[in-house]
Amino acid sequence: MRVHKLTFAALAVAAGLSLTACQNDDAGTGQSDPSSTSTGSSGATASPSGGGSDSGSSDQGGAKASAGTSSATSSGGTGTTAGTGSNANSKVGKCRTDDLKITAQNGTIDGDPDGTVVVTLTNHSGRDCTISGYAGVDLKTSAGSLSAKRTGQQAGSAVLKNGKSTYFPVNYPFNKSGGSGVRVTGLVVTPPDETKSVTLNWPGAATLPVTDGSGSPVKVGPVGSAGQGG
């Protein structure tokens, strides 16, 4: 019995020592954890209120704002440039009557069956412009106004550079009747897609033959055509 009591006593002492050691370990761990927690809390507290974190937050915010401004500025600049380039390259306006210096001269060549007047359209607007189709042509005569008929030739489209010229022909029959015919007093030209006209002196033969009214004896070719235009 004494041996058992001693054994129990020894076990009790050992258990007590073990418990004390565990408590010391727990106490150490507990002290370490609060320290760690305190550091974390201090770090967390310092992060919003400390200068370093605020500076970092401000720097990040500033970088974003700067990036946003830069992006917007760059985008705006590109848009403006693209818009300007687009307007300059793809939106060439039509040639208006006031953009053109219009003249006419005799273009008849010896041996041609018909007479030809060549009308010149020179762009003096200071910018390029587009021109296509047929001009309106009317002859002022002693018998009244006579409208030229289109030849039916295919009409193309072209950009008329500033200072450059394009041409079209007006063909008319010679008066071989021996009579006085119809006297021509003027040439009225209306550029394609325009309503404003220019009146010129007629540089061709002085008279046209009298017709039976079945058709116009005068024909006009499209802008850009040459020679007889037909």
Side-chain angles (χ1 to χ4, degrees):
M1 293 296 292
R2 185 175 179 80
V3 174
H4 289 298
K5 287 181 179 180
L6 288 173
T7 301
F8 289 146
L11 290 173
V13 172
L17 292 174
S18 177
L19 179 59
T20 300
C22 289
Q23 287 177 348
N24 288 337
D25 290 342
D26 290 343
T29 304
Q31 290 175 0
S32 176
D33 288 345
S35 175
S36 175
T37 303
S38 175
T39 302
S41 175
S42 175
T45 303
S47 178
S49 61
S53 179
D54 278 350
S55 177
S57 175
S58 175
D59 287 346
Q60 290 176 358
K64 288 181 181 178
S66 175
T69 303
S70 176
S71 175
T73 303
S74 175
S75 175
T78 302
T80 302
T81 302
T84 302
S86 176
N87 289 336
N89 296 330
S90 65
K91 294 187 177 180
V92 179
K94 293 190 305 181
C95 296
R96 318 299 301 193
T97 301
D98 291 338
D99 295 336
L100 303 170
K101 178 181 179 181
I102 305 176
T103 58
Q105 62 184 0
N106 183 19
T108 304
I109 298 176
D110 290 343
D112 284 349
D114 296 315
T116 301
V117 167
V118 177
V119 178
T120 303
L121 308 173
T122 303
N123 180 6
H124 66 164
S125 65
R127 61 177 179 81
D128 298 346
C129 59
T130 60
I131 190 165
S132 63
Y134 284 82
V137 172
D138 296 282
L139 271 60
K140 290 184 175 182
T141 74
S142 56
S145 181
L146 177 65
S147 295
K149 182 179 179 180
R150 295 179 178 182
T151 61
Q153 186 177 351
Q154 182 66 36
S157 177
V159 174
L160 185 59
K161 299 289 186 180
N162 181 50
K164 299 299 182 179
S165 301
T166 188
Y167 314 86
F168 68 85
V170 178
N171 300 326
Y172 62 94
F174 292 121
N175 181 16
K176 299 177 180 180
S177 65
S180 60
V182 177
R183 186 166 58 89
V184 182
T185 61
L187 172 65
V188 181
V189 176
T190 308
D193 300 320
E194 278 289 88
T195 56
K196 185 176 182 179
S197 302
V198 173
T199 300
L200 307 171
N201 293 325
W202 173 251
T207 62
L208 299 175
V210 177
T211 65
D212 58 5
S214 59
S216 171
V218 181
K219 294 184 179 181
V220 56
V223 171
S225 59
Q228 295 295 323

